[in-house]
Amino acid sequence: MLTGSKTTFKVRQMPDIKERIMNQSGLHARGRDMFGLCCLPGECVLQRAVLVRKKLSPKEGGGWLSGTLFCTHFRVAFVPQDSPRVDDNADPVLLGDHDVALASIEKIVAVGPSRTKLVTPNSSLKFTPEELVLYCRDLRVLCFLFDRLTPDTQAVEITYTIAKTYQPLKPGTILSFQNAALGSIEMKQFLSNRRRDPGMNWFESSADWEQELERTGATGWRASSVNDRFEMSTSLSRFNVVPQKVLDTELKKTFAHFNEGRIPRWCWRHPRGSDLLRMASFQNNIYHEKDDIRNLELILFGGQPQCVVVDLGEEMPSPADVQLAHTRLRALCLGDISSSVSVPDDKWLSTLEGTHWLDYIRCCLRKAAEVACLLRRGHLTVVLQESEDRDMNCVVSSLVQVMCDPHCRTVAGFQGLVQKEWVMAGHRFLSRINYHRDSDKEEAPIFLLFLDCVWQLWAQFPARFQLTEDYLLALHDSLHLPLFSTFLANCQRERCRRSQHLPQSYTPVNGLRELPRGSAEEPVDPPYPPVWDWSLQYSSQRRALFSQPVCQPSSPVPVLNENLNTNTNMEPNWLSDGVPGSVFLLSRSSFSCPSNLLPWRSGSGSGSYRKSHRRAPSSESLPALERLIKACGQPDTPQDFHDPHQPLIPLLLGPCIRIWRNCYLRGALHAQAFTHPMSSNSRHPVERLASEVEHLRERLAQASTGRPSNRKRHEHRRLDSNLNQNANNGTFLFSSSSSSSSSSSSSSSSSSSSSSRTSQQESPCRVSGHPPTAPRYRDGGGKHTFLFGHQGEPQGSQRYAPSPSAKLPKNSGPAGAKTH
């Protein structure tokens, strides 16, 4: 297997992985390995290494954990040395707390005594790895340290085995990974007996949609099954909610007027009576009959006197923009210890701004907040329009419901929301995630952008959510695991074909038709569970962190929130002076009424639609339009503060939109893990310095307030702030609770006290991201770099401090100066 000297190895091609799996097929299908690994049914161990230490993240308590490292044909597993014995009869869990699926690994880096190397299946290692670093697609970084007593052959072989199995030689061989996890007979039988969560709405039947209509109080709407066989639109679901006045025979004629047949469909009703709809763009050069016009307007207005079309095509980012921004963000946050290129600390924030990821989050939240404020007016329909109705419409419609509907902020309600607005609505999960790595042009993490927007809302209003950050992180990580039916298709039609295993063909005339089955030897996809089956993925201890109690809303403090009008209470009779049937366009935060907004109103009433940029006469629509804009500046009433459907309007100014630290920076902080652990009995000099600075800060607070400070309150933050300790690397990360004082204490204690006081009074949310320092491996003690991160603060202190030219209310001074 290995040739060369004791310290220099030449790794040749190993025997075929498939052959090794077949040789081990006689092992117990389910049970524990002799070293303690609890294998899945049919899972085979390819290689293992003993006396390995895993670097724990700060959230896991820090330090190192001793155990055994395994590589199977499904995952890289780490079993701690003193882990409790698992019951062999317990239900299988795909991944343990210290495991990572092979499909989630992006690259492998081997760290030697004086060099690092990116390991590929054809790599040759000329050194024995001392540390193995796994970079994952979900932005995690796992660091494993081989002990001196670990056999050199085990360290080399497991490194190469992981490199051989994690990266398929062909993009289409991901099916072998899925069969490794779910393809065994026992696993198929186990998954077939799994029951779905009865507490959530799956939106797969007409009864599910009727239940949602009843929950929201949406009268005048019904669930239509005209697309039951996907004859009208292949990308829409079987059931779509339309007005009761529109018959199915008339509804069939409207599909041809929209791109991909994605007609206007009901999404949600606001308690004040407004309806939220979504649709694709109109088809060009389509002849509009009078009956078609009547049906189209019935669908658009939904029985309401006014309609506002929100065009998302101009100001929202395109999928290509989102993909580019996310790629830049990954490169910035993860880094790569195998390369010498790194972003300097003083340019990290500007580089983060240059990715435009936070700008896109701000754009989505702003648009969703505008739509939420419109829906509060009552008695109108707000229609979200996108070219294909499969990307940004999903984001904005979901964010609006998260902002306005407390049910969507629970675990069951949020899962039902994703089912309704993403899964059933035909978001192209399979193409956007690009599991098969065969089409980079379609790849774009739109769903990850949505999760980040939800986290921004959670970070500013944590008490209004039942779901927690751990839940959002679990959903974020599950997206990168190609095992769930939720993400393995682009529409409901494809999911139905997978679940029934029936080959089908589609023609516009005959619809879907079953084709003759092939031979029985053709490979059949394993049964894919939904992503909402959390007990299959995580232990009960992890799942207990997914929810929290929900507190009652409190009266918000008026804040300056960029150019977003949050005071949108409207006069009760604002619609009386408007013309019934008026249609407005909301674009770039302003209203207009262009003549070509509805094709059949472009001048000739009926006939072919031709693009026109002429404005409609202002005498018809201007009165209602002016009242609509004027009402956006009226103040809210006090009783609205206790309204459970009061929208969660986030702060949008620069410092308030922050980077999701526990998601995007967990790998960056972990990648800076030190190559060799320090003794846990002695405190690092920098940690002692931080303790002294914290003590000086407490004395300053005691002198300014005249009351003794609670030292225990800061003890936990100080202990958790030191995320990394190592003398070789010389990189130390601290939370913002000691950042201002620590930086100034090097010069003098008096300047430290002054800078700490001023930095806390100016802006509690002063930064939006925090630069991790790229790790440097040096033989000697190099120059130490002190880098100050940002610890999440209680939301009561997140208030934006405007520029000196802005006028503040007289009573807002104490709230703005509140510190922790």
Side-chain angles (χ1 to χ4, degrees):
M1 178 63 65
L2 302 173
T3 58
S5 63
K6 184 178 181 180
T7 58
T8 302
F9 296 93
K10 177 69 175 181
V11 181
R12 65 179 179 84
Q13 292 291 336
M14 298 175 59
D16 189 15
I17 299 297
K18 183 176 181 181
E19 180 181 354
R20 177 177 295 190
I21 294 175
M22 296 300 296
N23 293 334
Q24 298 190 18
S25 60
L27 298 177
H28 295 290
R30 182 173 174 182
R32 296 182 64 90
D33 185 81
M34 59 178 297
F35 284 91
L37 177 64
C38 185
C39 297
L40 296 173
E43 185 178 16
C44 302
V45 177
L46 302 180
Q47 191 58 254
R48 58 174 165 252
V50 297
L51 301 176
V52 180
R53 282 178 285 181
K54 177 179 183 286
K55 174 65 179 177
L56 298 179
S57 64
K59 193 173 182 179
E60 296 172 331
W64 298 79
L65 186 64
S66 300
T68 305
L69 184 64
F70 296 86
C71 177
T72 72
H73 59 316
F74 165 65
R75 57 177 168 164
V76 175
F78 179 81
V79 178
Q81 186 175 3
D82 299 329
S83 62
R85 182 177 180 85
V86 181
D87 185 8
D88 292 341
N89 296 323
D91 291 340
V93 179
L94 292 178
L95 297 173
D97 295 338
H98 304 284
D99 303 347
V100 58
L102 292 173
S104 299
I105 300 177
E106 187 172 18
K107 56 185 175 182
I108 302 174
V109 176
V111 181
S114 59
R115 58 174 298 187
T116 60
K117 181 178 179 58
L118 181 66
V119 183
T120 62
N122 298 322
S123 297
S124 60
L125 290 176
K126 298 183 179 180
F127 59 90
T128 303
E130 295 183 354
E131 186 176 357
L132 185 63
V133 183
L134 306 181
Y135 288 84
C136 305
R137 304 185 193 278
D138 55 11
L139 295 172
R140 286 183 299 165
V141 175
L142 303 182
C143 303
F144 299 99
L145 178 67
F146 297 108
D147 192 83
R148 295 180 179 178
L149 299 179
T150 304
D152 294 341
T153 55
Q154 290 187 6
V156 175
E157 286 186 10
I158 197 170
T159 300
Y160 182 77
T161 302
I162 297 174
K164 176 74 174 179
T165 54
Y166 94 95
Q167 187 177 13
L169 300 179
K170 296 180 180 180
T173 57
I174 195 173
L175 180 62
S176 61
F177 166 79
Q178 297 167 342
N179 284 321
L182 310 175
S184 63
I185 298 177
E186 290 190 12
M187 200 65 177
K188 289 181 179 180
Q189 183 179 3
F190 171 75
L191 293 176
S192 62
N193 296 329
R194 301 285 288 181
R195 294 184 178 180
R196 290 186 171 184
D197 183 7
M200 63 170 288
N201 195 332
W202 295 84
F203 292 96
E204 293 182 347
S205 64
S206 177
D208 294 341
W209 286 98
E210 295 293 344
Q211 178 184 349
E212 179 70 4
L213 291 172
E214 181 180 357
R215 185 188 71 85
T216 58
T219 58
W221 300 85
R222 66 179 180 89
S224 172
S225 59
V226 69
N227 195 43
D228 182 55
R229 295 183 59 84
F230 308 104
E231 297 174 352
M232 300 292 102
S233 175
T234 57
S235 61
L236 286 181
S237 61
R238 294 181 182 271
F239 302 95
N240 298 277
V241 178
V242 296
Q244 290 181 349
K245 296 181 180 180
V246 182
L247 302 178
D248 286 348
T249 55
E250 299 174 345
L251 184 63
K252 290 181 179 181
K253 302 177 182 179
T254 62
F255 284 87
H257 297 272
F258 299 90
N259 291 338
E260 298 185 13
R262 301 182 67 85
I263 61 174
R265 308 171 315 282
W266 178 89
C267 298
W268 180 70
R269 165 161 286 193
H270 195 278
R272 296 192 178 184
S274 299
D275 292 304
L276 178 65
L277 282 70
R278 54 184 293 184
M279 68 177 184
S281 299
F282 291 100
Q283 284 278 16
N284 295 335
N285 301 323
I286 295 295
Y287 188 83
H288 303 281
E289 298 285 350
K290 291 183 178 180
D291 293 339
D292 297 344
I293 295 174
R294 172 183 171 275
N295 296 327
L296 289 171
E297 294 199 354
L298 279 176
I299 298 175
L300 283 175
F301 286 88
Q304 303 286 5
Q306 304 284 342
C307 176
V308 178
V309 178
V310 182
D311 186 11
L312 303 181
E314 296 183 359
E315 49 188 316
M316 302 297 289
S318 65
D321 296 335
V322 176
Q323 171 65 13
L324 179 60
H326 191 262
T327 302
R328 293 175 176 175
L329 181 68
R330 286 178 54 87
L332 175 64
C333 294
L334 267 182
D336 188 357
I337 61 176
S338 62
S339 62
S340 58
V341 180
S342 61
V343 179
D345 294 349
D346 56 346
K347 295 183 179 180
W348 199 91
L349 292 177
S350 60
T351 307
L352 172 63
E353 183 180 1
T355 63
H356 299 293
W357 180 257
L358 298 181
D359 295 333
Y360 296 154
I361 293 175
R362 186 178 296 107
C363 179
C364 295
L365 290 174
R366 181 188 297 111
K367 182 58 64 176
E370 291 175 354
V371 174
C373 293
L374 268 178
L375 290 171
R376 290 185 60 214
R377 300 299 124 237
H379 306 293
L380 81 160
T381 59
V382 179
V383 186
L384 304 178
Q385 184 181 37
E386 189 188 12
S387 177
E388 297 182 353
D389 181 39
R390 305 182 72 174
D391 290 310
M392 285 303 157
N393 268 6
C394 302
V395 176
V396 177
S397 62
S398 302
L399 288 178
V400 169
Q401 297 176 58
V402 171
M403 291 179 179
C404 298
D405 194 347
H407 176 71
C408 296
R409 298 193 286 269
T410 64
V411 174
F414 185 81
Q415 293 177 173
L417 174 67
V418 175
Q419 280 288 126
K420 178 179 64 172
E421 300 296 339
W422 293 81
V423 180
M424 292 297 129
H427 176 68
R428 290 188 287 256
F429 277 110
L430 187 61
S431 300
R432 294 306 185 203
I433 303 173
N434 194 16
Y435 284 131
H436 298 283
R437 300 292 182 266
D438 54 357
S439 178
D440 295 338
K441 296 181 180 179
E442 296 291 330
E443 184 177 358
I446 305 295
F447 188 70
L448 297 184
L449 179 68
F450 164 69
L451 290 181
D452 204 330
C453 292
V454 175
W455 180 86
Q456 300 290 339
L457 293 173
W458 177 89
Q460 297 192 25
F461 306 96
R464 305 289 293 274
F465 283 79
Q466 185 204 32
L467 57 88
T468 61
E469 183 182 21
D470 293 273
Y471 175 84
L472 295 176
L473 275 174
L475 186 55
H476 174 277
D477 297 344
S478 300
L479 186 71
H480 298 84
L481 196 61
L483 293 177
F484 307 107
S485 60
T486 309
F487 306 133
L488 285 175
N490 290 328
C491 58
Q492 187 183 11
R493 170 175 169 260
E494 294 183 6
R495 292 182 183 88
C496 293
R497 293 182 59 186
R498 287 179 176 272
S499 62
Q500 298 174 2
H501 304 293
L502 296 177
Q504 296 173 323
S505 66
Y506 173 82
T507 59
V509 178
N510 299 322
L512 286 176
R513 301 184 63 184
E514 299 181 5
L515 299 179
R517 287 183 177 270
S519 61
E521 299 180 357
E522 291 183 359
V524 178
D525 294 346
Y528 300 115
V531 71
W532 316 122
D533 191 356
W534 297 115
S535 60
L536 184 64
Q537 305 179 56
Y538 297 99
S539 61
S540 58
Q541 293 80 3
R542 289 285 302 275
R543 285 183 278 119
L545 303 175
F546 286 179
S547 61
Q548 65 180 6
V550 181
C551 302
Q552 294 295 329
S554 58
S555 301
V557 179
V559 292
L560 179 63
N561 196 10
E562 205 171 5
N563 60 345
L564 176 64
N565 292 321
T566 60
N567 297 324
T568 56
N569 207 25
M570 189 166 285
E571 300 176 2
N573 59 346
W574 74 276
L575 292 171
S576 60
D577 295 340
V579 178
S582 299
V583 182
F584 305 120
L585 174 66
L586 176 60
S587 179
R588 301 188 182 277
S589 302
S590 61
F591 293 95
S592 62
C593 190
S595 60
N596 64 330
L597 182 57
L598 300 181
W600 54 88
R601 294 188 179 184
S602 59
S604 59
S606 63
S608 61
Y609 165 47
R610 295 180 176 85
K611 291 187 176 180
S612 173
H613 299 281
R614 296 179 299 169
R615 295 282 180 175
S618 59
S619 60
E620 178 182 358
S621 58
L622 189 57
L625 180 61
E626 288 181 347
R627 285 184 174 271
L628 183 61
I629 298 177
K630 182 180 179 180
C632 292
Q634 296 181 356
D636 287 340
T637 58
Q639 56 267 25
D640 289 338
F641 294 152
H642 303 283
D643 182 8
H645 290 84
Q646 177 79 8
L648 305 182
I649 304 299
L651 302 179
L652 300 178
L653 286 168
C656 301
I657 301 298
R658 302 177 295 170
I659 189 171
W660 190 356
R661 180 186 180 90
N662 289 335
C663 179
Y664 298 114
L665 295 185
R666 56 178 171 171
L669 300 179
H670 205 177
Q672 299 177 62
F674 298 99
T675 307
H676 301 286
M678 293 180 58
S679 174
S680 59
N681 299 327
S682 60
R683 300 176 65 187
H684 197 276
V686 178
E687 186 180 0
R688 294 196 298 267
L689 175 62
S691 178
E692 295 176 3
V693 170
E694 183 68 19
H695 179 64
L696 180 62
R697 179 174 175 269
E698 293 176 358
R699 292 182 58 185
L700 175 63
Q702 180 179 358
S704 59
T705 59
R707 294 178 297 179
S709 60
N710 189 357
R711 186 178 182 86
K712 294 183 180 180
R713 181 168 63 91
H714 300 281
E715 185 68 21
H716 178 71
R717 178 181 298 180
R718 183 169 66 254
L719 293 178
D720 291 343
S721 62
N722 192 3
L723 302 181
N724 296 275
Q725 299 179 6
N726 188 285
N728 295 338
N729 193 324
T731 304
F732 310 97
L733 304 177
F734 295 93
S735 64
S736 61
S737 60
S738 60
S739 62
S740 55
S741 303
S742 164
S743 59
S744 56
S745 62
S746 59
S747 58
S748 64
S749 61
S750 60
S751 61
S752 171
S753 304
S754 175
S755 63
S756 176
R757 186 191 307 113
T758 56
S759 64
Q760 295 178 18
Q761 293 178 352
E762 287 180 358
S763 176
C765 54
R766 56 191 175 275
V767 294
S768 59
H770 311 280
T773 304
R776 301 177 179 87
Y777 294 87
R778 300 180 180 178
D779 298 337
K783 181 179 178 181
H784 294 275
T785 302
F786 303 92
L787 186 63
F788 302 97
H790 177 74
Q791 187 79 7
E793 299 179 356
Q795 298 305 315
S797 63
Q798 291 188 357
R799 292 292 179 265
Y800 167 65
S803 59
S805 60
K807 295 182 180 181
L808 288 175
K810 294 182 180 180
N811 58 353
S812 62
K818 182 178 179 181
T819 59
H820 293 268

